[in-house]
Amino acid sequence: MARQHPDWKPELLRTHRESIGLTLEDTGEKLREIAERHSFNIAANFQTIWGHEKGSVYPGPHYRRAYCRLYQRNEAQLGFRRALPGEDAPVQSVPTVTDNSLPDQSRAVRQALGSIRAGTDDVDGDLLRERVVDAWRRHTTGGAVDSPAVVLVGGFAGSGKSEFAKFLGGLTGWPILDKDSLTRPLVDQLLIALGGEAHDRSSALYREKVRPLEYRCLMEAAWDNVDCGISTILDAPFISEFSQAEWMQRFYNRCRSKRVSVATIWVECDPESMREYIEFRGAARDAWKMEAWEEYLSSLDLEMRPQGPHFVVDNRLGAAVALVDEARDVLSGGGL
C-alpha cells in the first residue's frame, strides 16, 4: 500500500496525536464526533487508527478529511500527500468554544471561497465571492437577495463538484438542483424501457436518447426557480454543455433576458483523486468507469474548460474540499 502513496508519511499522524495528548481511544471518539457533524462515513475504532499510524492501511478520503479537522492541518501537513502551491502555511485553527461572531466566521467563509479563481479574464472573482458572502449574511439574518443568480457547478465524476455545490447552497440558502437526484430514477427506468441497462452511462443509447432529456429536466427546473426570483445552484457534470460555445451563449442570453446573474464554475481535480472518490462512493452507475478506468480516463480532456466566462476551483488532491470542511466547522462552532 505504501508503494502506491510514495509521499505518504504515516508517522506524522502519531506525532500530531501525541502533541495534543490524545490516546488512540480518544482520537477515535473525536473522529466519530467529526464524522457525525460532517456526515463522513467512518467507524474510527482504535485498531483502524493504529493501522493508519503504522502505515499498514492508507486512510480513505473521509478519514483523511476527519483527521484534517481534528488536527487542524491539511493533507500535506499530515503527511498524506505532497503539498500543492500555497499549502505550506497551517490552516486556521477552529475555536475550541462556540464563537458565533461574524468576523471569525466571515474569515473562514472567505478562505473557502478563495479557492474560486477566474478561469477567463472577463469574470470578476471578487464580485462572485461578495455575492455569495452577501447571500450568506442575508440567509443567516432572514433577509433576501434583490435579484436571482444561477450558478452552474460542473466537473468530471469524482472531482468534488457536489461537495462544493452543497457548500455554496449551505452558505447562501439557495436551492441545489442535482442532476442525478432530480432525474436518476426516471433515467434508470427509461433506459430499461428502451432496451438498455438501468445503470448504463456510457452507451450511445444513453448519450443520444436519454442524456439530452436529463439536462432538459434540470434546466427547466432551474428556470421555474428563476421565474419565481429564486437563485439556484445547478450540480451536474455539464461536460458536453460547457464544451459548446453555442449552448453557453444561449444560456447566457436567456439569463440576461431575465435579468439573472450567472456564474459558471468548473471544478478541476487530478485523475488519482477522482478515481479514489468514484471508488469510495461505490455507485452502480460508476461500475464501467472502475472496470475500464484507463479507457474511461483516455476519454476525458483534463485540460477542458468551459466555453465563455467561467471560474475554476482547484480541487486537486482534495485541497478545495478541505477548505470547505474547515469553513463548515467554524460556522457550526465545532472544535476539538
Side-chain angles (χ1 to χ4, degrees), residues 268-280:
E268 66 177 2
C269 193
D270 59 289
E272 293 77 13
S273 296
M274 288 192 291
R275 178 171 184 170
E276 181 181 38
Y277 274 94
I278 292 172
E279 186 174 20
F280 176 76

Side-chain angles (χ1 to χ4, degrees), residues 8-266:
W8 182 27
K9 300 177 177 62
E11 67 278 3
L12 290 182
L13 283 178
R14 180 177 179 180
T15 299
H16 283 287
R17 174 174 62 81
E18 293 179 342
S19 71
I20 57 177
L22 294 179
T23 66
L24 291 172
E25 290 80 3
D26 293 336
T27 301
E29 181 179 353
K30 292 188 179 298
L31 288 176
R32 290 191 294 272
E33 291 173 358
I34 292 170
E36 182 176 359
R37 190 161 63 243
H38 289 275
S39 299
F40 293 159
N41 182 20
I42 62 175
N45 55 52
F46 74 89
Q47 295 98 330
T48 300
I49 296 167
W50 179 246
H52 294 164
E53 292 185 358
K54 295 292 288 183
S56 58
V57 180
Y58 185 73
H62 280 197
Y63 269 107
R64 298 200 304 274
R65 290 170 66 180
Y67 278 126
C68 288
R69 301 315 319 128
L70 174 61
Y71 296 133
Q72 306 306 316
R73 296 292 184 271
N74 59 43
E75 288 197 13
Q77 291 161 339
L78 291 181
F80 293 133
R81 57 168 172 79
R82 60 180 173 82
L84 290 172
E87 284 192 318
D88 296 333
V91 296
Q92 294 294 317
S93 177
V94 172
T96 56
V97 295
T98 300
D99 181 0
N100 292 320
S101 62
L102 185 60
D104 287 343
Q105 294 184 345
S106 180
R107 191 159 45 246
V109 168
R110 291 178 184 279
Q111 184 178 13
L113 295 177
S115 59
I116 302 176
R117 59 180 174 83
T120 51
D121 294 334
D122 50 358
V123 294
D124 187 338
D126 289 337
L127 182 63
L128 173 61
R129 285 186 286 272
E130 287 305 317
R131 180 70 188 267
V132 172
V133 170
D134 182 60
W136 163 57
R137 289 196 177 105
R138 292 172 181 263
H139 175 55
T140 54
T141 58
V145 178
D146 296 331
S147 60
V150 175
V151 181
L152 307 181
V153 183
F156 295 119
S159 62
K161 62 183 179 298
S162 293
E163 286 283 352
F164 202 81
K166 289 176 183 176
F167 173 62
L168 293 178
L171 280 181
T172 61
W174 298 344
I176 299 172
L177 297 181
D178 179 283
K179 177 182 70 67
D180 288 334
S181 299
L182 195 65
T183 66
R184 186 187 303 152
L186 289 173
V187 167
D188 290 350
Q189 293 304 309
L190 181 56
L191 284 166
I192 293 173
L194 293 175
E197 298 181 1
H199 304 302
D200 164 40
R201 297 296 187 274
S202 60
S203 70
L205 173 64
Y206 169 73
R207 292 193 303 272
E208 297 171 9
K209 300 294 185 181
V210 178
R211 188 186 182 283
L213 300 177
E214 251 189 319
Y215 278 83
R216 181 176 175 181
C217 289
L218 177 68
M219 300 310 298
E220 290 300 325
W223 298 130
D224 286 343
N225 276 359
V226 167
D227 288 342
C228 294
I230 301 172
S231 295
T232 303
I233 300 168
L234 304 186
D235 172 17
F238 287 114
I239 308 302
S240 176
E241 289 71 21
F242 283 180
S243 300
Q244 301 176 49
E246 297 83 0
W247 188 94
M248 296 293 289
Q249 190 60 57
R250 286 196 304 270
F251 173 75
Y252 273 87
N253 289 344
R254 187 167 181 178
C255 286
R256 191 177 299 112
S257 71
K258 295 175 178 289
R259 294 182 173 83
V260 174
S261 61
V262 182
T264 298
I265 299 177
W266 178 256

